[in-house]
């Protein structure tokens, strides 16, 4: 296999909950942008096998998968440029994971930060959770992914996938490139704080879901934790969650003006406080996702359109998967 092929973007998203602003700025936005940089070569899958390490209810998992698909399509994933599919529609990935497992040291998996973090947080690990990085390596290597956009938390898993490709190629093929070495593409995306100021994450129950609007959105934004500055007093902008969230939706020029309102505690000669800042934030989020919300409503009413995209995606992905697996089976002596 030649390395001189076009770059192929590959990434996965876990269907473990309703997607939020952190997921959007940290991952989804970049995924969708990459479809224009690499048309026809951007592959995204909904990692339902992975989600089984935490979700043990079939209906819940199905629901999350459907919701992720709708969210990507509503936010602009274009099936004529990018391939969207369900991980489990290409079960070949499980066979490649096994092959890779045979050349992956236990020590490597024991060093996995995300695994260690989860144990430290009191989770009793299943063998599946320990094996997770192997499956993730297979996800990438099966599709010849060469560019893997991820957040910082996933960087180590990509390094593992690089080691796995090298180990496999050396062990089974004398160093010939059977599996292509992937490179991470770190999202430039900002760290998105949640309602309580910690990292926005469904594990902290501090998220702002992407498609909330109107009164319910305003009510939620009202819960963003702030200091207790009185109306009209200057507001510090350092480590200020409302300010940091506003920045995500505002260009530099307007943000400079908003920064002034914060620093002076006034706007157009009137006092400016957190109530105003939160109203502004809610209005910006509402407007930013307005079109996507409409597309989403359409897709919610037409699940067959979503299924058709996933089926077409799986067919494309499976063609690549089978070719990779045939190469691997041959060098492993399985046929
Ligand atoms: P959660 O923390 O809610 O479980 P995930 O771990 O499923 O979210 O996140 C999937 C991806 O979304 C991450 O790899 C990361 O790129 C991005 N992401 C999640 N939360 C944030 C955040 N608060 N800020 C920036 N990016 C985030
Ligand atoms: N582990 C990733 C996450 O939690 C999701 C994922 C699974 C993934 N397989 C992948 C990301 C392969 C990139 C490539 O966010």
């Amino acid at each position: 296999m030649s390395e001189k092929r076009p770059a192929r973007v590959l990434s996965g998203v876990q269907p473990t909950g309703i997607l939020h602003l952190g997921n959007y700025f940290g991952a989804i936005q970049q995924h969708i942008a990459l479809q224009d940089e690499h048309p026809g070569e951007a592959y995204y899958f909904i990692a339902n096998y992975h989600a089984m390490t935490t979700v043990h209810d079939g209906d819940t998992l199905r629901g999350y998968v459907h919701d992720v698909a709708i969210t990507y399509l509503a936010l602009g994933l274009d099936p004529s440029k990018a391939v969207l599919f369900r991980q489990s529609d290409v079960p070949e990935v499980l066979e490649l994971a096994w092959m890779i497992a045979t050349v992956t040291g236990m020590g490597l998996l024991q060093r996995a930060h995300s695994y260690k973090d989860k144990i430290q947080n009191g989770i009793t690990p299943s063998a599946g959770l320990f094996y997770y990085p192997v499956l993730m390596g297979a996800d990438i290597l099966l599709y010849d992914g060469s560019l893997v956009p991820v957040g910082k938390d996933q960087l180590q898993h990509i390094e593992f996938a690089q080691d796995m490709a090298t180990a496999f190629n050396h062990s089974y093929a004398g160093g010939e490139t059977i599996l292509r070495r992937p490179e991470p593409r770190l999202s430039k995306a900002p760290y998105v704080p949640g309602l309580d100021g910690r990292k926005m994450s469904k594990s902290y129950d501090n998220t702002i879901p992407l498609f909330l609007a109107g009164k319910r959105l305003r009510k939620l934004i009202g819960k963003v934790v702030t200091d207790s500055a009185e109306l009209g007093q200057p507001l510090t902008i350092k480590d200020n969650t409302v300010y940091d969230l506003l920045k995500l939706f505002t260009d530099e020029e307007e943000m400079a003006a908003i920064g002034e309102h914060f620093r002076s505690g006034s706007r157009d000669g009137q006092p400016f406080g957190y109530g105003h800042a939160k109203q502004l934030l809610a209005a910006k989020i509402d407007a930013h996702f307005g079109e996507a919300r409409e597309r989403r409503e359409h897709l919610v009413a037409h699940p067959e359109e979503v299924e058709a995209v996933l089926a077409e995606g799986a067919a494309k992905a499976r063609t690549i998967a089978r070719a990779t697996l045939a190469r691997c089976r041959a060098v492993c002596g399985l046929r």
Side-chain angles (χ1 to χ4, degrees):
M1 190 187 80
S2 156
E3 287 285 342
K4 286 190 216 88
R5 296 152 1 113
R8 174 166 299 143
V9 179
L10 184 287
S11 198
V13 57
Q14 280 209 64
T16 47
I18 300 302
L19 296 170
H20 53 74
L21 288 184
N23 300 136
Y24 177 69
F25 287 104
I28 306 173
Q29 193 182 39
Q30 182 180 216
H31 291 168
I32 291 173
L34 282 167
Q35 73 187 3
D36 292 316
E37 262 178 63
H38 301 275
E41 292 291 345
Y43 284 70
Y44 302 116
F45 66 91
I46 305 172
N48 54 354
Y49 283 138
H50 284 282
M52 287 171 68
T53 56
T54 48
V55 182
H56 287 174
D57 179 80
D59 287 336
T60 305
L61 184 60
R62 247 188 303 278
Y64 286 157
V65 169
H66 190 64
D67 193 70
V68 170
I70 286 185
T71 301
Y72 267 73
L73 292 169
L75 290 168
L77 184 127
D78 176 350
S80 73
K81 295 180 186 159
V83 178
L84 181 69
F85 63 103
R86 235 189 240 110
Q87 185 184 28
S88 62
D89 283 347
V90 191
E92 283 84 350
V93 72
L94 300 174
E95 184 172 347
L96 183 62
W98 173 254
M99 294 175 177
I100 290 173
T102 65
V103 295
T104 300
M106 287 289 285
L108 183 124
L109 297 182
Q110 274 155 352
R111 285 200 304 278
H113 304 312
S114 78
Y115 177 75
K116 288 196 286 191
D117 288 350
K118 287 191 173 132
I119 292 186
Q120 249 172 12
N121 286 330
I123 290 175
T124 308
S126 64
L129 188 66
F130 186 67
Y131 186 77
Y132 186 112
V134 178
L135 182 57
M136 183 160 163
D139 288 329
I140 300 169
L141 302 175
L142 184 64
Y143 302 107
D144 296 332
S146 62
L147 204 62
V148 188
V150 282
K152 249 215 267 179
D153 57 320
Q154 296 296 318
L155 210 49
Q156 192 193 32
H157 288 151
I158 312 302
E159 288 162 7
F160 286 178
Q162 295 175 331
D163 289 352
M164 290 165 184
T166 305
F168 184 92
N169 293 338
H170 274 93
S171 300
Y172 286 114
E176 190 195 334
T177 305
I178 304 295
L179 295 175
R180 190 185 201 185
R181 183 185 160 90
E183 295 296 335
R185 159 85 82 100
L186 254 194
S187 141
K188 283 190 286 291
Y191 159 98
V192 180
L195 295 174
D196 58 0
R198 291 188 292 172
K199 180 188 170 200
M200 186 177 291
S201 167
K202 61 185 159 308
S203 345
Y204 297 149
D205 201 15
N206 64 354
T207 65
I208 302 172
L210 285 173
F211 296 115
L212 215 54
K215 206 167 152 192
R216 289 175 61 205
L217 176 63
R218 284 197 298 278
K219 201 165 160 215
L220 186 67
I221 296 300
K223 293 187 182 154
V224 176
V225 176
T226 62
D227 58 38
S228 52
E230 302 263 331
L231 178 62
Q233 293 301 303
L235 308 177
T236 173
I237 60 171
K238 193 170 174 301
D239 296 329
N240 185 318
T241 307
V242 181
Y243 182 85
D244 288 342
L245 288 171
L246 272 167
K247 262 200 307 209
L248 298 169
F249 296 92
T250 310
D251 64 31
E252 253 176 64
E253 197 183 327
E254 191 187 351
M255 208 53 217
I258 293 175
E260 252 333 283
H261 304 333
F262 271 71
R263 274 185 286 268
S264 65
S266 78
R267 178 175 59 183
D268 305 331
Q270 302 290 324
F272 177 88
Y274 280 119
H276 301 106
K278 286 178 174 182
Q279 261 175 23
L280 187 61
L281 176 60
K284 280 184 179 285
I285 297 175
D286 208 321
H288 189 92
F289 294 111
E291 275 178 33
R293 267 198 314 273
E294 278 175 27
R295 281 196 292 268
R296 179 173 186 273
E297 272 160 34
H298 171 85
L299 293 164
V300 168
H302 296 89
E304 71 288 353
E305 289 182 22
V306 180
E307 277 309 309
V309 170
L310 292 178
E312 193 193 334
K316 286 185 189 160
R318 203 156 194 192
T319 305
I320 300 171
R322 289 198 164 144
T324 307
L325 207 56
R327 290 198 303 275
C328 293
R329 288 182 132 243
V331 296
C332 291
L334 294 178
R335 66 155 171 77

